[in-house]
Amino acid sequence: MVRFLILALLSLLGFITVVAASLGETGWWLLAALTLALLGLGIHDVLQTKHAILRNFPVLGRLRFLFESIRPEIQQYFIERNTDGRPFARDTRSLIYARAKGADSHKAFGTELDVNEVGYEFLLHSTVPVNVPAEQHRVRIGGPDCLRPYDISLMNVSSMSFGALSKNAVLAMNKGAAMGGFVHETGEGGLTEYHLEYGADLFWEIGSGYFGCRDVDGNFDPDRFAAKAAHESVKGITIKLSQGAKPGLGGVLPAAKITPEIAAAREIPMGVDCISPASHSSFSTPKELMAFVKHLRDLSGGKPVGYKFCVGSRTDVLAMCKAMLETGITPDFITVDGAEGGTGAAPLEYEDHVGTPLTEGLMLVHNALVGCGLRHKIRLGAAGKVATGSDIVKRLIQGADFTFSARAMMMATGCIQAQKCHTNECPVGVATQNPHLVRALDVLDKGNRVYNYHKLTVQEAAQLMASMGVSHPSQLNPRMLRRRIDHLTTRSYAALHNWVAPGELLTEPARGWLADWEEADSDTFGEHAPMPWPTPREPAPAPVALAGTVAPKRVEPKNSTHQVVAPVHPDAKRPEGRLAPKHPIPRR
């Protein structure tokens, strides 16, 4: 490897020498200056102690950092196949971009997927397809206590806050939603002027920070909530319990992305990270959650109220169901967020290893509600990597009534999957507050693209159902979705999974559900039943302050390679080395 690097260096020097000679005396002086600069850089690399590769390979070692910086682009544009990109494959991204432009999204020459691969899923078509309905199907949300039900589209804009997204991105999505008559969910960052600009139907998301409806201590303020919930554009309220990318963690908006506008909308100070608490202060038990649902419904004048969460313990889901049965209070809808979702940044351990994927979580909640005799009162939404018409149909088969999409809507707005959402350096102005980057996102053009993408994708879902012989989503059933379980065998979802019968959990829970059903308690969240064997553990030692440690400080990813590394503070509670704040939301 070294000899190849030396050969490359000699070739470069030879080329430079030829160019210098062609420029005459000026060229030789330029060559001398370049040589001295490289010599100085080489001496610096040898003497520095931060990077071992530069000490061993001065100057040349810097090529490693160059190639590493452009690795994502090389991977995406030159190496990955159409079907294996992550989080979204090239084929999916191309489909979104084409539909957003109103262009041809067809593909020739057959599938590139391996249909014999274990895990491959496919929908069953009918020998006698039906005609596609003239109007797109809508789902009525509104339980027995809802005074102002709402008819929602099969696909909607999932929760993304102003702050995480730029104002132009929020405006474009709002414009598209207004044109297409589908819901624009606000995200937990508050109800802002940009969500109201074009008059789209909104679901206002209330997170643990209660942004836009909080008092000076960061607690829920019912009067402020009622005043904003009365707005005509607000069609429903979503209580965010957790999110797919990082369930169990509160949202984080880095200080670098907080502008005066965002600080005013969230009622937070400038210059510090905005960290939402991991859980709500208004409730801590399943019964209290139901009481909060009723409280918000009353304050909003009877508008639909539900909650969103990434499924964790089945015991917790059943505890919620027991709380509904015991209090008589039911949410109007529940949105199940899959662990594969996530528009912002999260610790890698959370993204890869925490939370239930959407398929399992959605079917669990659906079965729990059916088994408790509650399903007819509550609509189910599915959020997490919904991008195509087939995604919508699959989620409907698995138990959902409608879907939310976040990243696909970002792509319709111009996102190129650069995965720089948390750095404030989004190159297309979607997930940044840098005005020079935001200005490139044209609201009128991108709003039309969001509208186009939604309309054509929902239309394709209707076409798929028609090809399956279905004219209404209620006719879908788990037999229509099949999964390959080995190279010789496929099974339908009806055969692969146990589907709970209506009211079954109330009479005779199946053995697989019995233990969780008995443990579920409407007065507490969590699994508390003792294991049949003890697991003794030593108590954690008290932390000891070490000499030479640095003060707790958030290290932004973009700066981490340009700072001297020092031990993090011994009391740091976050992966970035930042202390967990005593009061998660600073006072105004």
Side-chain angles (χ1 to χ4, degrees):
M1 182 64 181
V2 175
R3 54 188 169 184
F4 287 116
L5 291 174
I6 294 174
L7 182 61
L9 179 61
L10 291 175
S11 300
L12 179 61
L13 290 176
F15 174 76
I16 293 174
T17 302
V18 171
V19 172
S22 65
L23 295 176
E25 184 176 353
T26 303
W28 289 111
W29 280 111
L30 290 175
L31 178 59
L34 177 61
T35 302
L36 288 174
L38 290 175
L39 177 61
L41 183 61
I43 293 173
H44 170 270
D45 289 347
V46 170
L47 296 178
Q48 60 83 39
T49 58
K50 185 177 180 182
H51 299 292
I53 190 172
L54 295 183
R55 298 194 77 185
N56 288 333
F57 302 96
V59 182
L60 291 180
R62 294 183 176 273
L63 292 175
R64 182 257 185 189
F65 301 109
L66 171 64
F67 293 143
E68 189 178 57
S69 68
I70 61 175
R71 179 183 179 277
E73 287 79 8
I74 293 175
Q75 177 74 21
Q76 181 176 147
Y77 298 123
F78 299 105
I79 297 178
E80 72 179 31
R81 298 174 299 174
N82 290 335
T83 58
D84 61 7
R86 295 290 186 272
F88 288 85
R90 167 57 62 181
D91 274 349
T92 302
R93 301 198 304 271
S94 297
L95 179 147
I96 295 171
Y97 297 145
R99 285 185 180 162
K101 297 173 184 176
D104 185 0
S105 62
H106 292 79
K107 186 177 180 181
F109 225 62
T111 182
E112 294 183 48
L113 298 175
D114 182 359
V115 298
N116 294 311
E117 182 181 13
V118 175
Y120 173 75
E121 294 185 345
F122 58 97
L123 301 168
L124 295 185
H125 69 283
S126 173
T127 306
V128 283
V130 299
N131 293 327
V132 179
E135 300 293 331
Q136 292 187 355
H137 178 71
R138 301 182 75 85
V139 179
R140 172 146 294 192
I141 297 179
D145 299 318
C146 179
L147 302 178
R148 301 173 66 179
Y150 177 77
D151 295 335
I152 195 171
S153 172
L154 287 181
M155 186 186 198
N156 306 275
V157 180
S158 193
S159 52
M160 293 176 282
S161 304
F162 170 51
L165 298 187
S166 68
K167 65 178 183 180
N168 283 11
V170 173
L171 287 169
M173 292 183 190
N174 193 256
K175 179 179 185 294
M179 293 172 63
F182 52 97
V183 161
H184 181 190
E185 200 168 39
T186 66
E188 66 172 309
L191 184 65
T192 71
E193 59 180 299
Y194 304 117
H195 293 105
L196 301 169
E197 177 71 19
Y198 290 98
D201 293 342
L202 302 176
F203 271 30
W204 181 15
E205 184 176 84
I206 308 297
S208 56
Y210 305 115
F211 299 120
C213 57
R214 57 195 294 269
D215 61 22
V216 294
D217 295 316
N219 297 313
F220 178 70
D221 186 326
D223 294 332
R224 304 194 65 202
F225 169 82
K228 291 187 177 181
H231 196 286
E232 183 59 30
S233 292
V234 177
K235 304 299 182 181
I237 310 296
T238 302
I239 305 167
K240 192 195 88 167
L241 303 183
S242 60
Q243 60 191 94
K246 46 187 174 184
L249 285 182
V252 177
L253 185 64
K257 294 184 71 172
I258 298 177
T259 66
E261 277 186 308
I262 295 169
R266 298 195 179 203
E267 300 161 338
I268 57 175
M270 291 284 294
V272 296
D273 295 337
C274 177
I275 304 175
S276 304
S279 57
H280 284 255
S281 59
S282 296
F283 57 86
S284 59
T285 70
K287 282 185 178 178
E288 290 175 356
L289 169 60
M290 299 310 144
F292 192 60
V293 168
K294 181 180 184 304
H295 189 39
L296 296 190
R297 192 156 48 209
D298 292 341
L299 290 172
S300 65
K303 293 182 179 181
V305 177
Y307 55 84
K308 178 184 82 171
F309 73 120
C310 178
V311 174
S313 165
R314 184 166 67 174
T315 302
D316 280 354
V317 175
L318 295 176
M320 295 176 190
C321 292
K322 285 188 175 181
M324 297 177 201
L325 293 169
E326 293 173 16
T327 63
I329 302 170
T330 55
D332 298 294
F333 66 94
I334 297 174
T335 300
V336 180
D337 201 5
E340 63 269 47
T343 54
L348 185 63
E349 295 90 339
Y350 277 81
E351 287 187 336
D352 290 349
H353 303 293
V354 180
T356 305
L358 181 54
T359 295
E360 288 85 348
L362 178 60
M363 291 192 298
L364 190 159
V365 175
H366 170 74
N367 275 302
L369 293 174
V370 169
C372 290
L374 296 166
R375 185 63 178 87
H376 65 288
K377 297 181 179 180
I378 302 169
R379 295 290 178 250
L380 270 185
K385 215 171 182 180
V386 175
T388 66
S390 58
D391 291 336
I392 296 174
V393 176
K394 285 182 180 181
R395 299 313 176 191
L396 298 183
I397 288 175
Q398 292 165 356
D401 295 301
F402 58 94
T403 66
F404 282 106
S405 177
R407 287 172 292 182
M409 293 294 181
M410 290 174 67
M411 291 182 201
T413 312
C415 167
I416 60 172
Q417 196 171 280
Q419 296 180 283
K420 294 184 176 181
C421 310
H422 58 302
T423 66
N424 206 33
E425 296 177 353
C426 171
V428 292
V430 174
T432 178
Q433 302 306 320
N434 184 326
H436 299 293
L437 297 173
V438 172
R439 63 185 292 273
L441 197 160
D442 183 81
V443 173
L444 297 181
D445 176 71
K446 303 305 183 185
N448 291 340
R449 294 189 185 211
V450 171
Y451 164 76
N452 291 341
Y453 166 66
H454 170 272
K455 180 178 178 60
L456 296 176
T457 300
V458 174
Q459 185 66 22
E460 196 64 25
Q463 179 63 69
L464 282 169
M465 286 188 278
S467 296
M468 298 165 69
V470 169
S471 57
H472 191 277
S474 62
Q475 299 171 287
L476 294 170
N477 67 70
R479 294 191 301 274
M480 297 176 175
L481 177 59
R482 299 186 71 89
R483 183 180 181 88
R484 181 168 294 283
I485 60 174
D486 60 44
H487 293 293
L488 300 175
T489 312
T490 65
R491 292 280 188 273
S492 73
Y493 265 62
L496 282 174
H497 303 281
N498 293 322
W499 298 87
V500 179
E504 179 181 343
L505 294 177
L506 303 178
T507 56
E508 189 176 355
R511 181 175 177 82
W513 289 76
L514 182 59
D516 290 334
W517 176 255
E518 292 179 342
E519 183 182 1
D521 185 349
S522 61
D523 289 316
T524 183
F525 284 115
E527 298 187 353
H528 306 290
M531 296 297 292
W533 55 88
T535 307
R537 299 186 185 276
E538 296 180 4
V544 179
L546 302 176
T549 60
V550 296
K553 183 179 180 181
R554 181 185 178 90
V555 180
E556 297 295 341
K558 62 180 180 179
N559 296 327
S560 61
T561 59
H562 303 293
Q563 298 179 353
V564 176
V565 177
V568 300
H569 193 279
D571 293 330
K573 298 295 192 299
R574 295 185 55 77
E576 302 90 347
R578 190 183 193 280
L579 272 178
K582 183 176 180 181
H583 299 289
I585 302 297
R587 295 191 178 191
R588 285 182 290 169

